[in-house]
């Protein structure tokens, strides 16, 4: 039950939704107890393959260029932009590992 912090009267919460995400325990992240998790529906998404990531982001960038009336020459640059961005992301994931002091990476 929730209580008002000023007068300690009980409060009722209605129609509340909580959306959260988390990474696996380790690198400064603590495990979440099953007692806490039992209150939630847990959805797990595994890491995507490189082909899947390319497909997703190439589709998004093609759509963005099309709906915002970019010249056709930009369509050729889209796959290069996606490949470069994913390469930077992968290198960051390898070199910026989470630590207890910097778990936000």
């Amino acid at each position: 039950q929730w209580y008002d912090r000023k007068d300690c009267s009980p409060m009722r919460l209605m129609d509340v939704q909580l959306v959260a995400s988390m990474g696996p325990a380790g690198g400064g992240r603590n495990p979440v107890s099953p007692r806490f998790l039992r209150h939630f529906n847990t959805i797990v998404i595994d890491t995507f393959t490189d082909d899947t990531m390319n497909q997703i982001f190439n589709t998004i960038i093609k759509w963005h260029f099309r709906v915002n009336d970019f010249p056709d020459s930009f369509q050729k640059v889209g796959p290069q932009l996606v490949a470069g961005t994913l390469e930077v992301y992968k290198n960051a994931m390898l070199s910026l590992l989470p630590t207890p002091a910097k778990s936000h990476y």
Side-chain angles (χ1 to χ4, degrees):
Q1 183 141 10
W2 293 81
Y3 294 92
D4 189 303
R5 295 179 71 181
K6 293 180 183 174
D7 62 6
C8 295
S9 62
M11 295 171 43
R12 291 196 185 273
L13 301 178
M14 298 174 62
D15 298 325
V16 175
Q17 292 184 5
L18 172 68
V19 177
S21 65
M22 59 184 265
R29 292 184 297 259
N30 296 323
V32 179
S33 73
R35 185 176 179 188
F36 178 72
L37 285 176
R38 70 187 169 118
H39 299 286
F40 302 96
N41 293 318
T42 305
I43 300 171
V44 178
I45 298 175
D46 200 9
T47 306
F48 293 123
T49 65
D50 289 346
D51 290 338
T52 302
M53 294 286 278
N54 277 315
Q55 178 68 35
I56 291 169
F57 290 111
N58 277 317
T59 302
I60 291 170
I61 204 157
K62 283 180 189 176
W63 169 83
H64 178 74
F65 287 160
R66 190 179 68 248
V67 299
N68 291 299
D69 297 325
F70 279 80
D72 289 338
S73 59
F74 276 82
Q75 293 292 342
K76 298 174 193 170
V77 179
Q80 296 169 352
L81 182 62
V82 169
T85 303
L86 289 176
E87 186 175 336
V88 169
Y89 170 73
K90 287 181 210 171
N91 287 333
M93 292 296 291
L94 291 174
S95 60
L96 299 175
L97 298 173
T99 64
K102 297 180 180 179
S103 60
H104 59 279
Y105 285 155

